Amino acid sequence: MKTFPWETVVQAAYRKYPTRHNTNVKTLDTLERRCGQNGSGRVLFSHRLFGTLWNVPALVINILGFNEMMYIHEMSECDTVSKTLTISAVNVSLRSLFKMSEVLQYKVHPEHPSKTILQQHTVMSVHGVPLLGGLLETMILNSYESVISKGRLAVEEKAKEIKKEL
């Protein structure tokens, strides 16, 4: 991935959807956006809700009894003083079957201020489906690995667009 300054990457992360790289994201609603303070200074807090379509076989949908549209809460904190954007996401749908939480943190590279570092961490647990747990876990992980790479491509594409705008 090409490197971009932190300010550009932050704008790209907020503008990542819609994207041709991940057409599964069908809805994106901003539920709250406010400015506040934390220990280091001014912060933009955001709470968004994503609606995504998963390509899940019809048989699995019928067995587990869920809708194809899945919802994800995203909370973000953009600290303009420390130049850190932290995005936390967790699934809303199917919490009785699995929980997936993800944290992404974008910050300025300490040795190269014109570059941005991304740290990403994900935790997933499957429960309540003893016979299908392994299958469900494999399906989710395969889908998620694809989403990760598509998300990075989308941020890079948006960053290139922002660079052209400037």
Side-chain angles (χ1 to χ4, degrees):
M1 181 167 158
K2 187 174 179 346
T3 59
F4 294 94
W6 181 82
E7 293 82 359
T8 303
V9 172
V10 167
Q11 289 179 57
Y14 279 118
R15 292 165 51 177
K16 181 165 64 171
Y17 298 109
T19 177
R20 64 186 172 92
H21 297 290
N22 188 354
T23 57
N24 290 358
V25 176
K26 298 299 181 188
T27 64
L28 173 58
D29 296 300
T30 300
L31 304 177
E32 178 185 15
R33 185 166 286 157
R34 63 182 167 80
C35 292
Q37 295 280 118
N38 71 2
S40 67
R42 286 186 268 172
V43 177
L44 172 65
F45 297 97
S46 294
H47 179 194
R48 304 191 303 177
L49 181 67
F50 288 82
T52 64
L53 281 180
W54 284 23
N55 296 322
V56 179
L59 177 64
V60 174
I61 290 172
N62 291 335
I63 290 171
L64 298 177
F66 66 87
N67 192 321
E68 280 186 89
M69 185 68 82
M70 306 286 283
Y71 294 96
I72 300 162
H73 276 287
E74 178 195 86
M75 305 293 286
S76 65
E77 184 175 308
C78 182
D79 186 325
T80 58
V81 176
S82 69
K83 292 194 173 184
T84 304
L85 170 62
T86 304
I87 301 172
S88 303
V90 65
N91 62 299
V92 176
S93 302
L94 298 178
R95 292 290 294 267
S96 62
L97 298 176
F98 76 95
K99 180 180 178 187
M100 180 176 276
S101 60
E102 173 183 47
V103 177
L104 295 94
Q105 188 173 67
Y106 297 92
K107 53 187 173 181
V108 175
H109 192 291
E111 297 165 11
H112 305 283
S114 64
K115 296 181 179 181
T116 305
I117 296 173
L118 167 61
Q119 295 175 326
Q120 189 168 7
H121 179 76
T122 305
V123 176
M124 182 186 73
S125 61
V126 175
H127 47 272
V129 283
L131 298 177
L132 297 173
L135 174 65
L136 184 59
E137 185 175 288
T138 300
M139 272 182 14
I140 293 168
L141 287 175
N142 288 342
S143 174
Y144 181 70
E145 286 175 5
S146 172
V147 168
I148 289 174
S149 61
K150 290 175 183 178
R152 290 182 182 164
L153 282 172
V155 170
E156 183 174 0
E157 184 175 86
K158 295 294 181 177
K160 288 177 183 175
E161 289 174 12
I162 292 165
K163 189 176 179 182
K164 283 181 188 176
E165 290 173 7
L166 298 175

Coordinates of all heavy atoms in Angstrom, one line a residue, residues 1-4 9 106 116 118 151-157 159:
M1 N 0.8 -1.2 0.0 CA 0.0 0.0 0.0 C 0.9 1.2 0.0 O 1.8 1.3 0.7 CB -0.9 0.0 1.2 CG -1.8 1.2 1.3 SD -3.1 0.8 2.6 CE -3.6 2.5 2.9
K2 N 0.5 2.2 -0.8 CA 1.3 3.5 -0.9 C 1.1 4.2 0.4 O 0.0 4.1 1.1 CB 0.7 4.3 -2.0 CG 1.5 5.5 -2.3 CD 1.0 6.2 -3.6 CE 1.7 7.5 -3.9 NZ 2.6 8.1 -3.0
T3 N 2.1 4.9 0.8 CA 2.0 5.7 2.1 C 1.4 7.1 1.9 O 1.7 7.7 0.8 CB 3.3 5.7 2.8 OG1 4.3 6.4 1.9 CG2 3.8 4.4 3.1
F4 N 0.7 7.6 2.8 CA 0.1 8.9 2.8 C 0.2 9.5 4.1 O 0.3 8.9 5.1 CB -1.4 8.8 2.4 CG -1.7 8.3 1.0 CD1 -1.9 6.9 0.8 CD2 -1.7 9.1 -0.1 CE1 -2.2 6.4 -0.4 CE2 -2.0 8.6 -1.3 CZ -2.2 7.3 -1.5
V9 N -5.0 10.0 5.3 CA -5.5 8.7 5.6 C -6.8 8.8 6.5 O -7.8 8.0 6.3 CB -4.4 7.8 6.3 CG1 -5.0 6.5 6.9 CG2 -3.3 7.6 5.4
Y106 N -4.9 4.3 13.4 CA -4.0 5.0 12.4 C -3.2 6.1 13.2 O -3.8 6.9 13.9 CB -4.8 5.7 11.3 CG -5.6 4.8 10.5 CD1 -7.0 4.4 10.8 CD2 -5.1 4.2 9.3 CE1 -7.7 3.6 10.0 CE2 -5.9 3.4 8.5 CZ -7.2 3.1 8.8 OH -7.9 2.3 8.0
T116 N 1.9 7.0 7.5 CA 0.9 6.6 8.5 C 1.0 5.2 8.8 O 1.2 4.4 7.9 CB -0.5 6.9 8.0 OG1 -0.6 8.3 7.7 CG2 -1.6 6.6 9.1
L118 N -0.8 1.7 10.4 CA -2.0 1.1 10.7 C -1.8 -0.1 11.6 O -1.0 -1.0 11.2 CB -2.8 0.7 9.5 CG -4.0 -0.2 9.7 CD1 -5.1 0.4 10.6 CD2 -4.6 -0.7 8.4
G151 N -10.9 -3.4 2.4 CA -10.9 -2.2 3.2 C -9.7 -1.4 3.0 O -9.7 -0.1 2.8
R152 N -8.5 -2.0 3.0 CA -7.3 -1.3 2.8 C -7.2 -0.7 1.4 O -6.7 0.4 1.2 CB -6.1 -2.3 3.1 CG -6.0 -2.6 4.6 CD -4.8 -3.5 4.9 NE -4.8 -3.8 6.3 CZ -4.1 -4.7 6.8 NH1 -3.4 -5.5 6.1 NH2 -4.2 -4.9 8.1
L153 N -7.6 -1.5 0.4 CA -7.7 -1.0 -1.0 C -8.6 0.2 -1.1 O -8.3 1.2 -1.7 CB -8.2 -2.1 -1.9 CG -7.2 -3.1 -2.3 CD1 -7.9 -4.2 -3.1 CD2 -6.0 -2.5 -3.2
A154 N -9.7 0.2 -0.4 CA -10.7 1.3 -0.4 C -10.1 2.6 0.2 O -10.2 3.7 -0.4 CB -12.0 0.9 0.3
V155 N -9.4 2.4 1.3 CA -8.7 3.6 2.0 C -7.7 4.1 1.0 O -7.6 5.4 0.9 CB -8.1 3.2 3.3 CG1 -7.3 4.3 3.9 CG2 -9.3 2.9 4.3
E156 N -6.9 3.3 0.4 CA -5.8 3.8 -0.5 C -6.4 4.5 -1.7 O -6.0 5.6 -2.1 CB -5.0 2.6 -1.0 CG -3.8 3.0 -1.9 CD -2.9 2.0 -2.2 OE1 -3.1 0.8 -1.8 OE2 -1.9 2.2 -3.0
E157 N -7.5 3.9 -2.2 CA -8.2 4.6 -3.4 C -8.7 5.9 -3.0 O -8.6 6.9 -3.7 CB -9.3 3.7 -3.9 CG -10.0 4.2 -5.1 CD -11.0 3.2 -5.6 OE1 -12.1 3.2 -5.2 OE2 -10.6 2.4 -6.5
A159 N -7.7 7.8 -0.5 CA -6.5 8.7 -0.3 C -6.0 9.3 -1.6 O -5.6 10.5 -1.6 CB -5.4 8.0 0.5

